[in-house]
Amino acid sequence: MTAILKVDTIQDTSGNNIINESSDTITIGASGDTTNIVGTLQNNGSVITGDYVLLSSTDASSSSGVSLDLFSSTYKNYKIFLSNISGSANDWVMVRFRRSSADVSSSNYYNANLQVYKTSSAQGTYNNSNWGDSAIRMFVMGQASGRVGSSELTIFDPFGTTYTQMTSYSTYWENSTSYRTSIQGATLQDATTSVTGITVYPASGNFTDNIKLYGIK
């Protein structure tokens, strides 16, 4: 026998709407829920897939650093977004790899990058490359109130073991009310041992930020 259930809303035992239809829009799950799809999710017969999987989203406030130990063999590559970072000091935002729940702070970071800047009256370039540094230098936090910096990093095969800790990055920041600059660059952490995460931190003072880490299928 075929049965048809006709309702607009299904609730959980606490009275929260977990399936709701309104104006031809179906909402699944209540606020704060995790919706687990068992099987294949399709859009009009086509399988829905996504190459980026959000592993972590961190909002830090006046923090001295954020560590994420989330690299594994599950994903080959990773993408990290540093969004609208501001700090208490006019200093660099740094990134270090991690191994065995500790920062890799040895002088094995080799950075090749170029900084381009523009002011109201001048422009130019800097070579901010470093040989044998102890971290990746991303950008300088703005000294003026409300001036922020953002960056996008791609980390290639950090869980590999054959000089695989290659990172490319692109940054932009406003260091003052009259200074705009960006950096394009790449780095290699010169080792043949897997790294398991990163730490983002200010060279001095504290910072406020949002950091998102994605695994790429």
Side-chain angles (χ1 to χ4, degrees), residues 10 21 30 73 75 83 88 97 102 123 137 146 156 173 191 193 201 203:
I10 297 177
E21 182 181 17
S73 59
Y75 303 100
S83 301
S88 61
F97 288 116
Q123 59 275 324
R137 299 171 186 267
F156 302 96
W173 78 89
T193 305
Y201 67 99

Side-chain angles (χ1 to χ4, degrees), residues 30-211:
S31 177
D33 282 354
T34 297
T35 302
N36 183 35
I37 305 297
V38 179
T40 302
L41 186 63
Q42 295 186 341
N43 177 17
N44 197 27
S46 299
V47 176
I48 298 175
T49 62
D51 290 334
Y52 283 62
V53 178
L54 180 62
L55 304 179
S56 175
S57 179
T58 303
D59 289 309
S61 179
S62 298
S63 174
S64 60
V66 172
S67 295
L68 302 172
D69 291 294
L70 294 171
F71 298 160
S72 71
S73 59
T74 302
Y75 303 100
K76 186 74 169 181
N77 304 310
Y78 293 82
K79 182 76 77 171
I80 299 168
F81 296 95
L82 314 179
S83 301
N84 294 333
I85 292 182
S86 61
S88 61
N90 185 30
D91 212 338
W92 286 92
V93 171
M94 316 283 278
V95 168
R96 280 176 172 163
F97 288 116
R98 288 173 62 80
R99 183 182 297 124
S100 301
S101 300
D103 288 359
V104 178
S105 57
S106 55
S107 300
N108 288 334
Y109 293 85
Y110 299 90
N111 305 302
N113 59 57
L114 182 67
Q115 174 182 333
V116 179
Y117 73 89
K118 177 64 177 149
T119 70
S120 58
S121 59
Q123 59 275 324
T125 62
Y126 288 121
N127 187 331
N128 279 316
S129 302
N130 302 97
W131 184 269
D133 206 346
S134 60
I136 307 170
R137 299 171 186 267
M138 300 306 303
F139 56 85
V140 177
M141 294 178 293
Q143 190 174 31
S145 176
R147 302 295 164 176
V148 298
S150 297
S151 186
E152 176 183 337
L153 300 84
T154 304
I155 301 177
F156 302 96
D157 196 16
F159 212 65
T161 57
T162 54
Y163 292 97
T164 53
Q165 289 81 354
M166 174 61 73
T167 303
S168 67
Y169 53 93
S170 174
T171 71
Y172 173 82
W173 78 89
E174 300 178 357
N175 198 35
S176 70
T177 57
S178 60
Y179 189 91
R180 309 287 188 269
T181 190
S182 66
I183 287 180
Q184 302 290 326
T187 190
L188 172 69
Q189 196 272 323
D190 190 6
T192 58
T193 305
S194 296
V195 291
T196 55
I198 65 161
T199 291
V200 183
Y201 67 99
S204 61
N206 297 314
F207 69 175
T208 298
D209 64 346
N210 174 264
I211 300 173

